[in-house]
PDB file of all heavy atoms in Angstrom:
ATOM      1  N   PRO A  62     100.785  62.463 124.952  1.00  0.00           N
ATOM      2  CA  PRO A  62     101.131  62.584 123.543  1.00  0.00           C
ATOM      3  C   PRO A  62     101.645  63.984 123.205  1.00  0.00           C
ATOM      4  O   PRO A  62     101.303  64.953 123.871  1.00  0.00           O
ATOM      5  CB  PRO A  62      99.801  62.337 122.830  1.00  0.00           C
ATOM      6  CG  PRO A  62      98.748  62.554 123.844  1.00  0.00           C
ATOM      7  CD  PRO A  62      99.357  62.350 125.188  1.00  0.00           C
ATOM      8  N   TYR A 204     104.782  71.418 130.371  1.00  0.00           N
ATOM      9  CA  TYR A 204     103.999  71.111 129.168  1.00  0.00           C
ATOM     10  C   TYR A 204     103.867  69.605 128.894  1.00  0.00           C
ATOM     11  O   TYR A 204     102.752  69.115 128.641  1.00  0.00           O
ATOM     12  CB  TYR A 204     104.589  71.838 127.940  1.00  0.00           C
ATOM     13  CG  TYR A 204     103.915  71.434 126.664  1.00  0.00           C
ATOM     14  CD1 TYR A 204     102.682  71.967 126.300  1.00  0.00           C
ATOM     15  CD2 TYR A 204     104.484  70.466 125.833  1.00  0.00           C
ATOM     16  CE1 TYR A 204     102.041  71.563 125.143  1.00  0.00           C
ATOM     17  CE2 TYR A 204     103.847  70.058 124.671  1.00  0.00           C
ATOM     18  CZ  TYR A 204     102.622  70.604 124.337  1.00  0.00           C
ATOM     19  OH  TYR A 204     101.983  70.199 123.193  1.00  0.00           O
ATOM     20  N   MET A 207     100.970  67.868 130.702  1.00  0.00           N
ATOM     21  CA  MET A 207      99.574  68.354 130.604  1.00  0.00           C
ATOM     22  C   MET A 207      98.659  67.244 130.110  1.00  0.00           C
ATOM     23  O   MET A 207      99.024  66.471 129.217  1.00  0.00           O
ATOM     24  CB  MET A 207      99.482  69.541 129.613  1.00  0.00           C
ATOM     25  CG  MET A 207      99.977  70.846 130.186  1.00  0.00           C
ATOM     26  SD  MET A 207      99.878  72.159 128.951  1.00  0.00           S
ATOM     27  CE  MET A 207      98.145  72.549 129.059  1.00  0.00           C
ATOM     28  N   SER A 208      97.449  67.190 130.664  1.00  0.00           N
ATOM     29  CA  SER A 208      96.472  66.198 130.216  1.00  0.00           C
ATOM     30  C   SER A 208      95.813  66.703 128.933  1.00  0.00           C
ATOM     31  O   SER A 208      95.915  67.886 128.589  1.00  0.00           O
ATOM     32  CB  SER A 208      95.408  65.990 131.292  1.00  0.00           C
ATOM     33  OG  SER A 208      94.612  67.152 131.382  1.00  0.00           O
ATOM     34  N   GLU A 209      95.113  65.788 128.260  1.00  0.00           N
ATOM     35  CA  GLU A 209      94.413  66.183 127.027  1.00  0.00           C
ATOM     36  C   GLU A 209      93.378  67.263 127.327  1.00  0.00           C
ATOM     37  O   GLU A 209      93.219  68.219 126.567  1.00  0.00           O
ATOM     38  CB  GLU A 209      93.763  64.965 126.376  1.00  0.00           C
ATOM     39  CG  GLU A 209      94.813  63.977 125.919  1.00  0.00           C
ATOM     40  CD  GLU A 209      94.271  62.846 125.082  1.00  0.00           C
ATOM     41  OE1 GLU A 209      93.072  62.884 124.745  1.00  0.00           O
ATOM     42  OE2 GLU A 209      95.041  61.920 124.783  1.00  0.00           O
ATOM     43  N   ASP A 210      92.659  67.113 128.441  1.00  0.00           N
ATOM     44  CA  ASP A 210      91.649  68.116 128.800  1.00  0.00           C
ATOM     45  C   ASP A 210      92.290  69.487 129.019  1.00  0.00           C
ATOM     46  O   ASP A 210      91.738  70.510 128.620  1.00  0.00           O
ATOM     47  CB  ASP A 210      90.909  67.710 130.083  1.00  0.00           C
ATOM     48  CG  ASP A 210      89.868  66.639 129.783  1.00  0.00           C
ATOM     49  OD1 ASP A 210      89.610  66.406 128.582  1.00  0.00           O
ATOM     50  OD2 ASP A 210      89.343  66.033 130.738  1.00  0.00           O
ATOM     51  N   GLU A 211      93.448  69.475 129.663  1.00  0.00           N
ATOM     52  CA  GLU A 211      94.135  70.755 129.908  1.00  0.00           C
ATOM     53  C   GLU A 211      94.543  71.406 128.584  1.00  0.00           C
ATOM     54  O   GLU A 211      94.470  72.616 128.418  1.00  0.00           O
ATOM     55  CB  GLU A 211      95.367  70.533 130.797  1.00  0.00           C
ATOM     56  CG  GLU A 211      95.004  70.325 132.256  1.00  0.00           C
ATOM     57  CD  GLU A 211      96.193  69.850 133.102  1.00  0.00           C
ATOM     58  OE1 GLU A 211      97.077  69.132 132.577  1.00  0.00           O
ATOM     59  OE2 GLU A 211      96.204  70.185 134.290  1.00  0.00           O
ATOM     60  N   LYS A 212      94.951  70.567 127.635  1.00  0.00           N
ATOM     61  CA  LYS A 212      95.357  71.117 126.331  1.00  0.00           C
ATOM     62  C   LYS A 212      94.154  71.706 125.596  1.00  0.00           C
ATOM     63  O   LYS A 212      94.254  72.776 124.984  1.00  0.00           O
ATOM     64  CB  LYS A 212      96.034  70.033 125.483  1.00  0.00           C
ATOM     65  CG  LYS A 212      97.414  69.676 126.001  1.00  0.00           C
ATOM     66  CD  LYS A 212      98.099  68.604 125.171  1.00  0.00           C
ATOM     67  CE  LYS A 212      99.504  68.347 125.704  1.00  0.00           C
ATOM     68  NZ  LYS A 212     100.206  67.280 125.023  1.00  0.00           N
ATOM     69  N   ILE A 213      93.048  71.015 125.681  1.00  0.00           N
ATOM     70  CA  ILE A 213      91.838  71.526 125.016  1.00  0.00           C
ATOM     71  C   ILE A 213      91.393  72.839 125.660  1.00  0.00           C
ATOM     72  O   ILE A 213      90.994  73.781 124.980  1.00  0.00           O
ATOM     73  CB  ILE A 213      90.716  70.450 125.037  1.00  0.00           C
ATOM     74  CG1 ILE A 213      91.106  69.302 124.092  1.00  0.00           C
ATOM     75  CG2 ILE A 213      89.360  71.035 124.640  1.00  0.00           C
ATOM     76  CD1 ILE A 213      90.243  68.064 124.188  1.00  0.00           C
ATOM     77  N   ARG A 214      91.515  72.905 126.997  1.00  0.00           N
ATOM     78  CA  ARG A 214      91.154  74.142 127.694  1.00  0.00           C
ATOM     79  C   ARG A 214      92.111  75.279 127.290  1.00  0.00           C
ATOM     80  O   ARG A 214      91.702  76.407 127.053  1.00  0.00           O
ATOM     81  CB  ARG A 214      91.184  73.927 129.211  1.00  0.00           C
ATOM     82  CG  ARG A 214      90.173  74.818 129.924  1.00  0.00           C
ATOM     83  CD  ARG A 214      90.027  74.469 131.400  1.00  0.00           C
ATOM     84  NE  ARG A 214      89.942  73.049 131.653  1.00  0.00           N
ATOM     85  CZ  ARG A 214      90.720  72.383 132.516  1.00  0.00           C
ATOM     86  NH1 ARG A 214      91.635  72.996 133.225  1.00  0.00           N
ATOM     87  NH2 ARG A 214      90.564  71.078 132.704  1.00  0.00           N
ATOM     88  N   LEU A 215      93.396  74.930 127.187  1.00  0.00           N
ATOM     89  CA  LEU A 215      94.401  75.935 126.796  1.00  0.00           C
ATOM     90  C   LEU A 215      94.098  76.503 125.405  1.00  0.00           C
ATOM     91  O   LEU A 215      94.319  77.694 125.133  1.00  0.00           O
ATOM     92  CB  LEU A 215      95.782  75.258 126.804  1.00  0.00           C
ATOM     93  CG  LEU A 215      96.997  76.134 126.515  1.00  0.00           C
ATOM     94  CD1 LEU A 215      97.120  77.240 127.553  1.00  0.00           C
ATOM     95  CD2 LEU A 215      98.264  75.284 126.498  1.00  0.00           C
ATOM     96  N   ASP A 216      93.578  75.658 124.540  1.00  0.00           N
ATOM     97  CA  ASP A 216      93.256  76.088 123.163  1.00  0.00           C
ATOM     98  C   ASP A 216      92.172  77.171 123.153  1.00  0.00           C
ATOM     99  O   ASP A 216      92.036  77.910 122.178  1.00  0.00           O
ATOM    100  CB  ASP A 216      92.814  74.862 122.350  1.00  0.00           C
ATOM    101  CG  ASP A 216      92.519  75.206 120.897  1.00  0.00           C
ATOM    102  OD1 ASP A 216      93.360  75.872 120.268  1.00  0.00           O
ATOM    103  OD2 ASP A 216      91.449  74.812 120.400  1.00  0.00           O
ATOM    104  N   PHE A 255      97.255  77.116 122.896  1.00  0.00           N
ATOM    105  CA  PHE A 255      97.754  75.749 122.710  1.00  0.00           C
ATOM    106  C   PHE A 255      98.673  75.691 121.486  1.00  0.00           C
ATOM    107  O   PHE A 255      99.758  75.112 121.542  1.00  0.00           O
ATOM    108  CB  PHE A 255      96.609  74.739 122.543  1.00  0.00           C
ATOM    109  CG  PHE A 255      97.137  73.400 122.108  1.00  0.00           C
ATOM    110  CD1 PHE A 255      97.756  72.560 123.021  1.00  0.00           C
ATOM    111  CD2 PHE A 255      97.083  73.009 120.776  1.00  0.00           C
ATOM    112  CE1 PHE A 255      98.306  71.341 122.624  1.00  0.00           C
ATOM    113  CE2 PHE A 255      97.635  71.798 120.371  1.00  0.00           C
ATOM    114  CZ  PHE A 255      98.242  70.968 121.295  1.00  0.00           C
ATOM    115  N   PHE A 467      91.431  72.083 117.857  1.00  0.00           N
ATOM    116  CA  PHE A 467      90.882  70.719 118.009  1.00  0.00           C
ATOM    117  C   PHE A 467      89.511  70.569 117.361  1.00  0.00           C
ATOM    118  O   PHE A 467      88.971  69.467 117.305  1.00  0.00           O
ATOM    119  CB  PHE A 467      90.788  70.343 119.491  1.00  0.00           C
ATOM    120  CG  PHE A 467      92.136  70.299 120.150  1.00  0.00           C
ATOM    121  CD1 PHE A 467      92.551  71.311 120.998  1.00  0.00           C
ATOM    122  CD2 PHE A 467      93.011  69.257 119.881  1.00  0.00           C
ATOM    123  CE1 PHE A 467      93.806  71.281 121.580  1.00  0.00           C
ATOM    124  CE2 PHE A 467      94.274  69.217 120.455  1.00  0.00           C
ATOM    125  CZ  PHE A 467      94.668  70.236 121.306  1.00  0.00           C
TER     126      PHE A 467
END
Side-chain angles (χ1 to χ4, degrees):
Y204 174 79
M207 283 178 80
S208 69
E209 295 189 6
D210 282 349
E211 284 169 328
K212 288 180 177 176
I213 290 169
R214 210 171 316 127
L215 184 61
D216 182 49
F255 170 77
F467 297 105

